[in-house]
Amino acid sequence: MGLQVDVRKLDLFNQMAREGSETVADHLEQMTGLAASVHTSQINFLDIADVKTHIGSQRKVGIYVELNEPPYGYVLFVLDPADSKRLAGAMMGGLGETSDGDGFTEMERSAMQEIGNIMTSAFIDGWANVLDTTIDMGTPGFIFGPANGIVDEMGGWPDSELAFVVDSQITVEDGDFGMTVYTFPDLASLVELIQGIDLDTDVAADTEAGDVV
Protein backbone atom coordinates (compact mmCIF):
# COMPACT_ATOMS: atom_id res chain seq x y z
CA MET A 1 0.00 0.00 0.00
CA GLY A 2 1.26 3.48 -0.89
CA LEU A 3 1.73 6.13 1.76
CA GLN A 4 0.24 9.01 -0.24
CA VAL A 5 -2.53 10.86 1.57
CA ASP A 6 -4.91 13.55 0.35
CA VAL A 7 -3.57 16.72 1.99
CA ARG A 8 -7.13 17.69 2.94
CA LYS A 9 -7.50 14.46 4.90
CA LEU A 10 -4.13 15.00 6.56
CA ASP A 11 -5.40 18.42 7.66
CA LEU A 12 -8.49 16.74 9.13
CA PHE A 13 -6.22 14.34 11.00
CA ASN A 14 -4.20 17.28 12.32
CA GLN A 15 -7.45 18.82 13.59
CA MET A 16 -8.34 15.48 15.13
CA ALA A 17 -5.00 15.31 16.97
CA ARG A 18 -5.44 18.82 18.34
CA GLU A 19 -9.02 18.12 19.45
CA GLY A 20 -7.78 15.02 21.25
CA SER A 21 -5.13 17.10 22.99
CA GLU A 22 -7.75 19.68 23.98
CA THR A 23 -9.76 16.87 25.59
CA VAL A 24 -6.67 15.77 27.55
CA ALA A 25 -6.22 19.39 28.69
CA ASP A 26 -9.84 19.43 29.89
CA HIS A 27 -9.25 16.26 31.91
CA LEU A 28 -6.01 17.64 33.33
CA GLU A 29 -7.94 20.72 34.45
CA GLN A 30 -10.57 18.53 36.12
CA MET A 31 -7.92 16.55 37.99
CA THR A 32 -5.78 19.51 39.13
CA GLY A 33 -8.30 22.35 39.33
CA LEU A 34 -5.92 24.42 37.17
CA ALA A 35 -6.98 25.81 33.78
CA ALA A 36 -5.06 23.89 31.11
CA SER A 37 -4.73 24.45 27.38
CA VAL A 38 -2.85 23.10 24.38
CA HIS A 39 0.17 25.31 23.76
CA THR A 40 1.34 23.64 20.54
CA SER A 41 0.27 20.64 18.53
CA GLN A 42 2.24 19.52 15.52
CA ILE A 43 2.97 16.55 13.31
CA ASN A 44 6.55 15.44 12.69
CA PHE A 45 8.00 12.81 10.38
CA LEU A 46 11.24 11.67 11.98
CA ASP A 47 13.86 9.07 11.25
CA ILE A 48 13.55 6.33 13.85
CA ALA A 49 17.08 7.20 14.98
CA ASP A 50 16.03 10.82 15.62
CA VAL A 51 13.08 10.02 17.89
CA LYS A 52 15.27 9.89 21.00
CA THR A 53 16.87 13.22 20.12
CA HIS A 54 13.42 14.74 19.67
CA ILE A 55 12.29 13.58 23.12
CA GLY A 56 15.50 14.68 24.84
CA SER A 57 17.57 13.24 27.68
CA GLN A 58 16.31 15.05 30.80
CA ARG A 59 14.96 12.94 33.66
CA LYS A 60 11.22 12.67 33.17
CA VAL A 61 8.23 10.59 34.11
CA GLY A 62 6.73 8.76 31.18
CA ILE A 63 3.32 7.08 31.08
CA TYR A 64 2.90 5.05 27.91
CA VAL A 65 -0.01 3.05 26.54
CA GLU A 66 0.13 0.65 23.61
CA LEU A 67 -2.70 0.73 21.08
CA ASN A 68 -3.79 -2.82 20.28
CA GLU A 69 -5.82 -1.89 17.19
CA PRO A 70 -5.11 0.36 14.18
CA PRO A 71 -3.35 2.74 14.06
CA TYR A 72 -1.36 0.69 16.63
CA GLY A 73 1.77 2.24 18.16
CA TYR A 74 1.84 4.16 21.44
CA VAL A 75 0.49 7.20 23.25
CA LEU A 76 3.11 8.64 25.61
CA PHE A 77 2.70 11.34 28.28
CA VAL A 78 5.93 12.95 29.46
CA LEU A 79 6.07 15.11 32.61
CA ASP A 80 8.64 16.62 34.93
CA PRO A 81 8.96 14.53 38.12
CA ALA A 82 7.66 17.34 40.34
CA ASP A 83 4.61 17.82 38.11
CA SER A 84 3.99 14.09 38.18
CA LYS A 85 4.01 14.08 41.98
CA ARG A 86 1.52 16.96 42.06
CA LEU A 87 -0.78 15.18 39.64
CA ALA A 88 -0.52 11.89 41.54
CA GLY A 89 -1.27 13.74 44.78
CA ALA A 90 -4.36 15.32 43.23
CA MET A 91 -5.50 11.91 42.03
CA MET A 92 -4.95 10.38 45.48
CA GLY A 93 -6.86 13.22 47.18
CA GLY A 94 -4.31 13.46 49.97
CA LEU A 95 -4.72 9.80 50.83
CA GLY A 96 -2.02 7.16 50.71
CA GLU A 97 1.73 7.18 51.03
CA THR A 98 3.80 9.74 49.14
CA SER A 99 7.53 9.96 48.64
CA ASP A 100 9.58 12.91 49.92
CA GLY A 101 12.57 11.89 47.86
CA ASP A 102 13.40 11.65 44.19
CA GLY A 103 11.56 8.38 43.64
CA PHE A 104 7.92 7.38 43.56
CA THR A 105 5.92 5.12 45.85
CA GLU A 106 3.85 2.29 44.45
CA MET A 107 0.70 4.31 45.17
CA GLU A 108 2.06 7.30 43.27
CA ARG A 109 2.99 5.06 40.35
CA SER A 110 -0.44 3.45 40.41
CA ALA A 111 -2.11 6.88 40.50
CA MET A 112 -0.08 8.03 37.51
CA GLN A 113 -0.93 4.87 35.58
CA GLU A 114 -4.62 5.47 36.23
CA ILE A 115 -4.22 9.07 35.07
CA GLY A 116 -2.53 7.75 31.93
CA ASN A 117 -5.45 5.39 31.39
CA ILE A 118 -8.00 8.22 31.72
CA MET A 119 -6.10 10.62 29.47
CA THR A 120 -5.35 8.03 26.78
CA SER A 121 -9.03 7.10 26.65
CA ALA A 122 -9.88 10.79 26.31
CA PHE A 123 -7.30 11.19 23.57
CA ILE A 124 -8.16 8.22 21.37
CA ASP A 125 -11.93 7.94 21.82
CA GLY A 126 -12.40 11.03 19.66
CA TRP A 127 -10.06 9.54 17.07
CA ALA A 128 -12.12 6.37 17.01
CA ASN A 129 -15.30 8.34 16.38
CA VAL A 130 -13.78 10.37 13.55
CA LEU A 131 -12.23 7.26 11.99
CA ASP A 132 -15.43 5.25 12.57
CA THR A 133 -13.60 2.44 14.32
CA THR A 134 -12.63 1.15 17.76
CA ILE A 135 -9.16 1.48 19.25
CA ASP A 136 -8.45 -0.94 22.07
CA MET A 137 -5.53 -0.08 24.33
CA GLY A 138 -3.25 -1.87 26.74
CA THR A 139 -2.35 -1.27 30.38
CA PRO A 140 -0.40 1.97 31.05
CA GLY A 141 3.28 1.63 31.90
CA PHE A 142 5.24 3.93 34.24
CA ILE A 143 8.88 4.91 33.67
CA PHE A 144 11.08 7.37 35.56
CA GLY A 145 14.46 8.26 34.12
CA PRO A 146 16.09 9.83 31.05
CA ALA A 147 13.30 10.65 28.60
CA ASN A 148 15.04 9.08 25.62
CA GLY A 149 15.24 5.80 27.54
CA ILE A 150 11.47 5.59 27.52
CA VAL A 151 11.63 4.82 23.81
CA ASP A 152 13.68 1.70 24.52
CA GLU A 153 11.31 0.63 27.30
CA MET A 154 8.27 0.89 25.03
CA GLY A 155 9.85 -1.24 22.33
CA GLY A 156 7.74 -2.63 19.52
CA TRP A 157 8.84 -0.04 16.98
CA PRO A 158 7.64 -0.71 13.42
CA ASP A 159 9.98 -2.00 10.74
CA SER A 160 10.22 1.43 9.12
CA GLU A 161 12.79 4.15 8.64
CA LEU A 162 10.28 6.87 9.49
CA ALA A 163 8.25 7.54 12.61
CA PHE A 164 5.05 9.58 12.49
CA VAL A 165 4.98 11.68 15.67
CA VAL A 166 2.13 13.85 16.94
CA ASP A 167 3.61 16.20 19.54
CA SER A 168 1.25 18.24 21.74
CA GLN A 169 2.39 20.43 24.63
CA ILE A 170 -0.19 21.10 27.34
CA THR A 171 0.33 23.74 30.02
CA VAL A 172 -1.72 25.26 32.84
CA GLU A 173 -2.48 28.97 32.99
CA ASP A 174 0.26 29.87 35.48
CA GLY A 175 2.86 28.07 33.39
CA ASP A 176 4.33 26.02 36.24
CA PHE A 177 2.84 22.70 35.20
CA GLY A 178 2.87 20.98 31.86
CA MET A 179 3.11 17.76 29.94
CA THR A 180 3.87 16.68 26.41
CA VAL A 181 1.70 14.11 24.67
CA TYR A 182 3.48 12.07 22.02
CA THR A 183 1.62 9.74 19.69
CA PHE A 184 3.63 7.19 17.71
CA PRO A 185 1.19 5.36 15.42
CA ASP A 186 2.26 2.75 12.89
CA LEU A 187 2.61 4.80 9.71
CA ALA A 188 1.08 2.34 7.24
CA SER A 189 -1.89 1.59 9.53
CA LEU A 190 -2.49 5.28 10.14
CA VAL A 191 -2.39 6.14 6.44
CA GLU A 192 -4.98 3.46 5.74
CA LEU A 193 -7.29 4.96 8.37
CA ILE A 194 -6.73 8.53 7.18
CA GLN A 195 -7.56 7.55 3.63
CA GLY A 196 -10.98 6.44 4.88
CA ILE A 197 -11.86 9.80 6.50
CA ASP A 198 -14.88 11.52 4.95
CA LEU A 199 -13.89 15.02 3.84
CA ASP A 200 -17.23 16.30 5.16
CA THR A 201 -16.44 15.08 8.68
CA ASP A 202 -17.06 17.61 11.46
CA VAL A 203 -13.94 16.77 13.47
CA ALA A 204 -14.79 18.94 16.48
CA ALA A 205 -18.28 17.45 16.85
CA ASP A 206 -17.13 13.85 16.40
CA THR A 207 -14.21 14.21 18.79
CA GLU A 208 -16.37 15.81 21.45
CA ALA A 209 -18.81 12.91 21.18
CA GLY A 210 -16.02 10.61 22.31
CA ASP A 211 -15.02 12.58 25.40
CA VAL A 212 -14.66 10.62 28.61
CA VAL A 213 -16.65 12.06 31.51
Side-chain angles (χ1 to χ4, degrees):
M1 183 194 72
L3 296 180
Q4 287 123 351
V5 178
D6 186 324
V7 68
R8 295 170 297 174
K9 294 187 177 184
L10 188 59
D11 182 60
L12 284 174
F13 176 79
N14 196 21
Q15 293 178 45
M16 184 174 76
R18 183 171 181 87
E19 290 289 343
S21 300
E22 293 281 4
T23 304
V24 171
D26 289 343
H27 283 67
L28 184 61
E29 183 173 341
Q30 292 172 25
M31 286 184 282
T32 63
L34 301 171
S37 61
V38 179
H39 180 61
T40 61
S41 184
Q42 59 189 359
I43 292 175
N44 296 286
F45 288 91
L46 299 172
D47 289 337
I48 292 290
D50 291 335
V51 171
K52 292 183 181 181
T53 301
H54 182 73
I55 290 179
S57 59
Q58 291 184 316
R59 283 170 66 80
K60 300 284 187 178
V61 168
I63 307 296
Y64 66 94
V65 180
E66 185 173 6
L67 305 181
N68 297 325
E69 294 181 284
Y72 298 111
Y74 294 90
V75 176
L76 168 66
F77 300 91
V78 177
L79 307 87
D80 286 332
D83 290 344
S84 181
K85 283 184 175 292
R86 287 176 59 190
L87 195 50
M91 187 68 177
M92 293 160 60
L95 302 175
E97 182 185 357
T98 60
S99 171
D100 294 328
D102 191 37
F104 290 82
T105 67
E106 285 301 316
M107 288 197 70
E108 287 174 325
R109 289 170 177 261
S110 179
M112 286 305 301
Q113 287 174 295
E114 180 56 26
I115 288 167
N117 187 58
I118 292 169
M119 292 192 298
T120 303
S121 294
F123 193 69
I124 66 173
D125 276 8
W127 289 28
N129 279 345
V130 173
L131 298 170
D132 193 25
T133 187
T134 60
I135 306 176
D136 182 51
M137 65 186 200
T139 302
F142 177 99
I143 301 174
F144 175 44
N148 49 19
I150 296 170
V151 173
D152 294 325
E153 290 287 341
M154 290 194 306
W157 286 92
D159 184 17
S160 170
E161 294 182 357
L162 280 177
F164 185 95
V165 184
V166 181
D167 176 349
S168 299
Q169 295 182 27
I170 299 173
T171 58
V172 301
E173 58 184 3
D174 60 9
D176 69 350
F177 183 102
M179 71 168 64
T180 304
V181 186
Y182 294 101
T183 313
F184 304 102
D186 174 75
L187 186 55
S189 297
L190 180 67
V191 166
E192 186 173 358
L193 288 175
I194 292 176
Q195 287 173 337
I197 296 177
D198 188 332
L199 288 173
D200 294 325
T201 297
D202 186 335
V203 172
D206 278 4
T207 305
E208 184 177 353
D211 285 356
V212 178
V213 178

